[in-house]
Amino acid sequence: DDPNTNATSVMLPPDAFQEVQVTTAGITAEFGDASGAVFNFVTKSGGNELRGGTAAYLQSEGLQSNNVSAELQAQGVGAGAGMDHLYDGTVFVGGPIKRDRIWFFDNFRYLNQDEIRSDFSAPLTTRDKMNFAKVTAQLTQANKVEFGFYYRNFSNFPYTAVASYTNSADPRTWIDVRKENFILVPRWSAVLGSATVLEVRGSS
């Protein structure tokens, strides 16, 4: 563990997104002095029908080719770069708590990955568990409240992204990064008139 890398790390499961909005010109005042592009990710909220899904992506060493010849193996050259294994699974479900009034959505993702590098003696590992949950309530015709909850437990080895034999003497190379995040995101939106909408949101 490296206590100096305990920063918040947010990466939502892909199935949690309903849509992605990209603004590249004419950026409005609410984004301050942003330049280049602004990305707005809209998460799913569930609905009046109970729906869900699951997906799994698997990759193993046996599914990859190897260009190390017998002659090179005789000289002590091991396997080339590639993926030792990749296990990536996700499950999501959404639906009504009270029809036409309160809905929920939940998405969990698990990632287990070991990458082999020809210039480093140990596998580069990633372990990632993330869960996104959201409850949406239409309090009145003009008032809607949302509560999003995000959890992530992430570990990555090694500490340095450029680990190789050349820097293996650096003790930081043999440290893994671990992060555990809990984030609560409330949001309230109200229609105050035909041309006025009030939106209040935050995160903790």
Side-chain angles (χ1 to χ4, degrees), residues 16 18 41-46 93-95 97 103-107 131-136 144-150 185 187:
Q18 179 71 33
F41 298 89
V42 181
T43 53
K44 295 178 181 178
S45 300
V93 63
I97 296 176
W103 308 271
F104 79 96
F105 177 81
D106 189 85
N107 187 190
N131 191 84
F132 172 74
K134 183 178 179 181
V135 175
T136 305
K144 182 170 71 174
V145 174
E146 297 177 349
F147 288 95
F149 176 76
Y150 174 75
V185 183
R187 177 183 175 188

Coordinates of all heavy atoms in Angstrom, one line a residue, residues 16 18 41-46 93-95 97 103-107 131-136 144-150 185 187:
A16 N -23.8 1.6 -16.7 CA -24.5 2.6 -15.9 C -24.9 3.8 -16.7 O -25.7 4.6 -16.2 CB -23.6 3.0 -14.7
Q18 N -26.7 6.1 -19.5 CA -27.8 6.2 -20.3 C -27.5 6.9 -21.6 O -27.9 6.5 -22.7 CB -29.0 6.9 -19.6 CG -30.2 7.1 -20.5 CD -31.0 5.8 -20.7 OE1 -31.0 5.0 -19.8 NE2 -31.6 5.7 -21.8
F41 N -22.1 13.0 -18.5 CA -22.5 11.6 -18.5 C -23.8 11.5 -17.7 O -23.9 11.8 -16.6 CB -21.4 10.7 -17.9 CG -20.1 10.7 -18.6 CD1 -19.2 11.6 -18.3 CD2 -19.9 9.8 -19.6 CE1 -17.9 11.7 -19.0 CE2 -18.7 9.8 -20.3 CZ -17.7 10.7 -20.0
V42 N -24.9 11.0 -18.4 CA -26.2 10.8 -17.8 C -26.3 9.3 -17.4 O -26.2 8.4 -18.3 CB -27.3 11.2 -18.7 CG1 -28.7 11.0 -18.1 CG2 -27.1 12.7 -19.2
T43 N -26.5 9.1 -16.1 CA -26.6 7.7 -15.7 C -28.1 7.2 -15.7 O -29.0 8.0 -15.7 CB -26.1 7.5 -14.2 OG1 -26.8 8.5 -13.4 CG2 -24.6 7.8 -14.2
K44 N -28.2 5.9 -15.7 CA -29.6 5.3 -15.8 C -30.3 5.5 -14.5 O -29.7 5.6 -13.5 CB -29.4 3.8 -16.2 CG -28.9 3.5 -17.6 CD -28.7 2.1 -17.8 CE -28.1 1.8 -19.2 NZ -27.9 0.4 -19.5
S45 N -31.7 5.4 -14.6 CA -32.5 5.7 -13.5 C -33.5 4.6 -13.2 O -34.3 4.7 -12.3 CB -33.3 7.0 -13.6 OG -32.4 8.1 -13.8
G46 N -33.5 3.5 -14.1 CA -34.6 2.5 -13.9 C -35.9 3.0 -14.6 O -35.9 4.1 -15.3
V93 N -29.4 -4.1 -12.9 CA -30.9 -4.3 -12.8 C -31.5 -2.9 -12.5 O -30.9 -2.1 -11.7 CB -31.3 -5.3 -11.8 CG1 -30.8 -4.9 -10.4 CG2 -32.7 -5.6 -11.8
G94 N -32.7 -2.7 -13.0 CA -33.4 -1.4 -12.7 C -34.9 -1.6 -12.8 O -35.3 -2.5 -13.5
G95 N -35.7 -0.9 -12.1 CA -37.1 -1.0 -12.1 C -37.8 -0.1 -11.1 O -37.2 0.8 -10.5
I97 N -39.8 1.0 -7.7 CA -40.0 0.8 -6.3 C -41.5 1.1 -6.1 O -42.2 0.4 -5.4 CB -39.2 1.7 -5.4 CG1 -37.7 1.3 -5.6 CG2 -39.6 1.6 -3.9 CD1 -36.7 2.2 -4.8
W103 N -38.1 5.0 -8.6 CA -37.4 4.0 -9.4 C -36.0 3.7 -8.9 O -35.4 4.6 -8.2 CB -37.3 4.4 -10.9 CG -38.6 4.8 -11.5 CD1 -39.5 4.0 -12.1 CD2 -39.1 6.1 -11.5 NE1 -40.6 4.8 -12.5 CE2 -40.4 6.1 -12.2 CE3 -38.7 7.4 -11.1 CZ2 -41.1 7.2 -12.4 CZ3 -39.4 8.5 -11.3 CH2 -40.7 8.4 -11.9
F104 N -35.4 2.6 -9.2 CA -34.0 2.3 -8.8 C -33.2 1.7 -9.9 O -33.8 1.2 -10.9 CB -34.0 1.3 -7.6 CG -34.2 -0.2 -8.1 CD1 -33.2 -1.0 -8.3 CD2 -35.5 -0.7 -8.3 CE1 -33.3 -2.3 -8.7 CE2 -35.7 -2.0 -8.7 CZ -34.6 -2.8 -8.9
F105 N -31.9 1.8 -9.8 CA -31.0 1.2 -10.7 C -29.7 0.8 -10.0 O -29.3 1.5 -9.1 CB -30.6 2.1 -11.9 CG -29.6 1.6 -12.8 CD1 -30.0 0.7 -13.8 CD2 -28.3 1.9 -12.7 CE1 -29.1 0.1 -14.7 CE2 -27.3 1.4 -13.6 CZ -27.7 0.5 -14.6
D106 N -29.2 -0.4 -10.3 CA -27.9 -0.8 -9.7 C -27.1 -1.5 -10.7 O -27.6 -2.3 -11.5 CB -28.2 -1.7 -8.5 CG -26.9 -2.0 -7.7 OD1 -26.6 -1.2 -6.8 OD2 -26.3 -3.1 -8.0
N107 N -25.7 -1.3 -10.7 CA -24.8 -1.9 -11.6 C -23.5 -2.2 -10.9 O -22.9 -1.4 -10.2 CB -24.5 -0.9 -12.7 CG -23.7 -1.5 -13.9 OD1 -23.2 -0.8 -14.7 ND2 -23.4 -2.8 -13.9
N131 N -19.4 -0.5 -7.8 CA -20.9 -0.6 -7.8 C -21.5 0.8 -7.9 O -21.0 1.7 -7.1 CB -21.3 -1.3 -6.6 CG -22.8 -1.7 -6.6 OD1 -23.2 -2.7 -7.2 ND2 -23.7 -0.8 -6.1
F132 N -22.5 1.0 -8.7 CA -23.2 2.2 -8.8 C -24.7 2.0 -8.6 O -25.3 1.1 -9.2 CB -23.0 2.9 -10.2 CG -23.9 4.1 -10.4 CD1 -23.6 5.3 -9.8 CD2 -25.0 4.0 -11.2 CE1 -24.4 6.4 -10.0 CE2 -25.8 5.1 -11.4 CZ -25.5 6.3 -10.8
A133 N -25.3 2.7 -7.6 CA -26.7 2.5 -7.3 C -27.3 3.9 -7.4 O -26.7 4.9 -7.0 CB -26.9 1.9 -6.0
K134 N -28.6 3.9 -7.8 CA -29.3 5.2 -7.9 C -30.8 5.0 -7.6 O -31.4 4.0 -8.1 CB -29.1 5.7 -9.3 CG -29.7 7.1 -9.6 CD -29.4 7.5 -11.0 CE -30.0 8.9 -11.4 NZ -29.6 9.2 -12.8
V135 N -31.3 6.0 -6.9 CA -32.8 6.0 -6.6 C -33.3 7.3 -7.1 O -32.7 8.4 -6.7 CB -33.1 5.8 -5.1 CG1 -34.6 6.0 -4.8 CG2 -32.6 4.4 -4.6
T136 N -34.4 7.3 -7.8 CA -35.0 8.5 -8.4 C -36.4 8.6 -7.9 O -37.2 7.6 -8.0 CB -34.9 8.5 -9.9 OG1 -33.6 8.3 -10.4 CG2 -35.5 9.8 -10.5
K144 N -38.2 16.7 -8.7 CA -37.6 15.4 -8.8 C -36.3 15.3 -7.9 O -35.5 16.3 -7.9 CB -37.3 15.0 -10.2 CG -36.7 13.6 -10.4 CD -36.6 13.2 -11.8 CE -35.5 14.0 -12.6 NZ -35.3 13.5 -14.0
V145 N -36.1 14.2 -7.2 CA -35.0 14.1 -6.4 C -34.2 12.8 -6.8 O -34.9 11.7 -7.0 CB -35.3 14.0 -4.9 CG1 -34.1 13.7 -4.0 CG2 -36.0 15.3 -4.4
E146 N -32.9 12.8 -6.8 CA -32.1 11.6 -7.1 C -31.0 11.5 -6.1 O -30.4 12.5 -5.6 CB -31.4 11.8 -8.5 CG -32.4 11.8 -9.7 CD -31.7 12.0 -11.0 OE1 -30.5 12.3 -11.0 OE2 -32.3 11.9 -12.0
F147 N -30.7 10.2 -5.7 CA -29.6 9.9 -4.9 C -28.8 8.8 -5.5 O -29.3 7.7 -5.8 CB -30.1 9.4 -3.5 CG -30.7 10.5 -2.6 CD1 -32.0 10.7 -2.6 CD2 -29.8 11.3 -1.9 CE1 -32.6 11.7 -1.8 CE2 -30.4 12.3 -1.1 CZ -31.8 12.5 -1.1
G148 N -27.5 9.2 -5.9 CA -26.6 8.2 -6.4 C -25.6 7.8 -5.4 O -25.1 8.6 -4.7
F149 N -25.2 6.5 -5.4 CA -24.2 6.0 -4.5 C -23.2 5.2 -5.3 O -23.5 4.4 -6.1 CB -24.8 5.1 -3.4 CG -23.7 4.5 -2.5 CD1 -23.1 5.3 -1.6 CD2 -23.3 3.2 -2.7 CE1 -22.1 4.8 -0.7 CE2 -22.4 2.7 -1.8 CZ -21.8 3.4 -0.9
Y150 N -21.9 5.6 -5.1 CA -20.8 4.9 -5.9 C -19.8 4.3 -4.9 O -19.4 5.0 -4.0 CB -20.1 6.0 -6.8 CG -18.9 5.5 -7.5 CD1 -19.0 4.6 -8.6 CD2 -17.6 5.9 -7.1 CE1 -17.9 4.2 -9.3 CE2 -16.5 5.4 -7.8 CZ -16.6 4.6 -8.9 OH -15.5 4.2 -9.5
V185 N -24.0 11.2 -4.2 CA -24.3 12.3 -5.1 C -25.8 12.6 -5.0 O -26.6 11.9 -5.7 CB -23.9 12.0 -6.5 CG1 -24.1 13.2 -7.4 CG2 -22.4 11.6 -6.5
R187 N -29.2 15.0 -5.8 CA -29.6 16.0 -6.9 C -31.1 16.3 -6.7 O -31.9 15.4 -6.6 CB -29.3 15.5 -8.2 CG -29.7 16.4 -9.4 CD -29.4 15.7 -10.7 NE -29.9 16.5 -11.8 CZ -29.9 16.1 -13.1 NH1 -29.4 14.9 -13.4 NH2 -30.4 16.9 -14.1

